[in-house]
Amino acid sequence: MTRRLPCPPAPGPLEAYAARFDDLFSTLAQRRGFREYLAGLLLPRDRNKTLTCLAGSEPVVGAQHPAVQRLQFFLSESTWDHERINSRRVELLLADSATAPHPDGVLVIDDSGDRKDGKATAHIGRQWLGRLGKTDNGIVTVTTCWADENLYYPLHAVPYSPAHYFPKGKSDPGFRTKLQIAAELARTAKAAGVTFRAVAADCAYGDQDGFRRQLDAAGLPFVMALKPSHGTWAYGKDTYTPADAARALTWTDPEHPGDWAPVERTFRDGHTETWWAADATLGWWGPDGNVRLVVATTDPATLPAQATWYLATDLPRPGGPREADSPEPAADLQEVVRIYGIRHWIEQSYKQVKDELGWADFQVRSDTAIRRHQTLVTCAFSFHLVHSTARPGTRPCPRGPAGRNSGGTG
């Protein structure tokens, strides 16, 4: 067997991290490309992290520089398997005591849309881009992250291909909706050994009955948002919504809260807020139904739109008839609000991956190259996370006696 040639080391502690992936690359060029790409992503730059930027070359005129061409070949033409690289990355996170998931964490499902020009890039199309809050030409990727009150990290990601890529459109056997991709990624996380209290997602997923059924069939508990106007079992003027169910609850004032109970939310900056939460009834959803409707708000009297959550969860309430037979521990109102509060924080913090590490800065067109770029970005993020938690004074905050902080994170 031919002895492997030594690879030029990556800068500082990055070398020890990169070396843990070396057996997954078959050539010296691949091992070197991996180190150079990660180093380029991690270095602070004043412009978008395109291939010329990662190689430290001039934009446009530097495209033919040998270092840029090496990275281009590494990303688009080389033979390494991005799924094996991501699996190793996740294995390392699960094995590290500072980042290992625990049962009080949350599996966050989201999709990330970024604007892109043209029509030749894989997965591109005119579609809703949540980050921009509008429909535009771009690429959407469905993602999962693990999170608790102290840290988070990406797990898996799959780009969504719009229906026009398939001969029979949405009826084509190869077409998958974002919901189908998300359910598959949740099952993948569970199969990889990632432990978590529940799946959390926004109303784009929570409003979908079929998606909730897929999670239930996979044995994955959930806490997901609903639109306040999400109607049920009726149409037109007879539609009964989560907002109607919340208004039907009794409330006088904090001294006479009626159906509402106080819950304390603890934010990452240390401040706390008292919210109010209650189990409501919506059709056959109720405190003891297979699905509960939990409403959380800062003001039960007015239910302000920007500070009121309508949450669907299949976690049983403590003391209810479902508790004894449930495979999952019961969740009181505080716990349900905590779980969804973690999802809300992730939506903001994921900007670290997108804005600082160049998630959407790629200038490649093939499906393989896009997925490889996304994998390398998550590797760079994971290295930074592991390195920062290993340094004195940067370890995540210790969890409370019950394995979690006392409140949710917002």
Side-chain angles (χ1 to χ4, degrees):
M1 183 174 180
T2 305
R3 185 175 64 87
R4 280 195 161 196
L5 296 174
C7 182
L14 180 58
E15 173 57 28
Y17 181 78
R20 305 186 76 169
F21 296 83
D22 278 350
D23 61 307
L24 303 180
F25 295 111
S26 59
T27 68
L28 170 61
Q30 291 174 4
R31 301 196 302 276
R32 182 175 59 200
F34 182 65
R35 287 161 169 79
E36 290 176 349
Y37 210 100
L38 293 190
L41 290 170
L42 290 162
L43 286 172
R45 302 289 192 184
D46 294 329
R47 57 188 174 92
N48 288 354
K49 292 183 177 180
T50 59
L51 289 173
T52 54
C53 177
L54 297 183
S57 182
E58 293 297 322
V60 185
V61 297
Q64 300 306 314
H65 191 281
V68 178
Q69 291 296 299
R70 284 200 307 268
L71 288 183
Q72 175 70 60
F73 185 86
F74 170 71
L75 198 62
S76 301
E77 306 296 334
S78 192
T79 57
W80 57 280
D81 186 339
H82 70 275
E83 291 186 352
R84 294 182 67 196
I85 297 297
N86 192 64
S87 294
R88 175 66 55 81
R89 179 186 68 86
V90 173
E91 289 171 6
L92 294 174
L93 289 169
L94 269 57
D96 191 312
S97 60
T99 55
H102 56 84
D104 289 326
V106 174
L107 182 71
V108 181
I109 292 176
D110 203 357
D111 54 69
S112 175
D114 299 286
R115 192 185 182 284
K116 288 287 180 181
D117 293 324
K119 298 181 179 180
T121 303
H123 311 293
I124 203 167
R126 188 166 179 80
Q127 52 193 317
W128 176 258
L129 305 180
R131 192 182 189 203
L132 302 182
K134 65 177 181 178
T135 298
D136 207 335
N137 204 55
I139 295 175
V140 174
T141 302
V142 183
T143 63
T144 52
C145 296
W146 185 91
D148 67 6
E149 289 85 351
N150 302 313
L151 78 160
Y152 85 102
Y153 47 80
L155 291 171
H156 303 96
V158 171
Y160 163 74
S161 294
H164 69 260
Y165 280 89
F166 302 89
K168 297 182 180 180
K170 292 184 178 180
S171 62
D172 194 281
F175 173 74
R176 292 189 300 165
T177 66
K178 297 172 192 174
L179 301 173
Q180 290 171 322
I181 295 172
E184 179 183 331
L185 292 184
R187 293 191 293 267
T188 298
K190 181 179 180 181
V194 180
T195 57
F196 47 88
R197 183 70 166 99
V199 173
D202 63 17
C203 59
Y205 296 89
D207 280 340
Q208 307 301 319
D209 295 341
F211 182 64
R212 293 194 304 272
R213 284 194 292 269
Q214 288 188 69
L215 294 182
D216 180 68
L220 298 170
F222 57 80
V223 176
M224 296 189 289
L226 302 168
K227 291 179 182 177
S229 59
H230 179 78
T232 181
W233 297 287
Y235 297 94
K237 64 182 179 62
D238 296 322
T239 299
Y240 195 69
T241 68
D244 294 326
R247 285 190 286 267
L249 297 168
T250 61
W251 166 267
T252 302
D253 55 44
E255 284 71 39
H256 305 87
D259 294 322
W260 297 84
V263 294
E264 186 174 274
R265 296 189 58 210
T266 302
F267 291 75
R268 284 187 60 80
D269 62 5
H271 87 277
T272 62
E273 292 181 7
T274 298
W275 282 40
W276 297 88
D279 273 295
T281 300
L282 184 68
W284 59 68
W285 289 7
D288 297 322
N290 290 330
V291 177
R292 296 162 61 191
L293 171 63
V294 172
V295 185
T297 182
T298 56
D299 184 0
T302 61
L303 300 173
Q306 299 302 315
T308 301
W309 298 341
Y310 303 90
L311 307 174
T313 180
D314 60 349
L315 294 170
R317 71 175 180 87
R322 292 181 53 232
E323 182 178 14
D325 297 328
S326 173
E328 304 296 333
D332 59 15
L333 296 172
Q334 175 81 43
E335 173 72 347
V336 173
V337 172
R338 181 192 76 87
I339 291 170
Y340 192 71
I342 291 175
R343 191 224 70 86
H344 192 70
W345 170 72
I346 287 300
E347 193 171 68
Q348 302 301 317
S349 294
Y350 200 66
K351 293 178 181 179
Q352 291 177 302
V353 174
K354 299 180 70 66
D355 294 341
E356 296 179 24
L357 294 176
W359 175 270
D361 290 346
F362 59 84
Q363 291 183 336
V364 290
R365 292 183 173 180
S366 72
D367 168 67
T368 296
I370 292 171
R371 292 178 188 243
R372 286 176 171 178
H373 171 78
Q374 292 176 342
T375 298
L376 292 166
V377 169
T378 56
C379 283
F381 178 90
S382 298
F383 161 74
H384 177 74
L385 175 65
V386 172
H387 180 58
S388 64
T389 56
R391 288 180 294 168
T394 57
R395 188 178 178 83
C397 304
R399 302 183 182 97
R404 67 174 76 104
N405 287 349
S406 60
T409 304

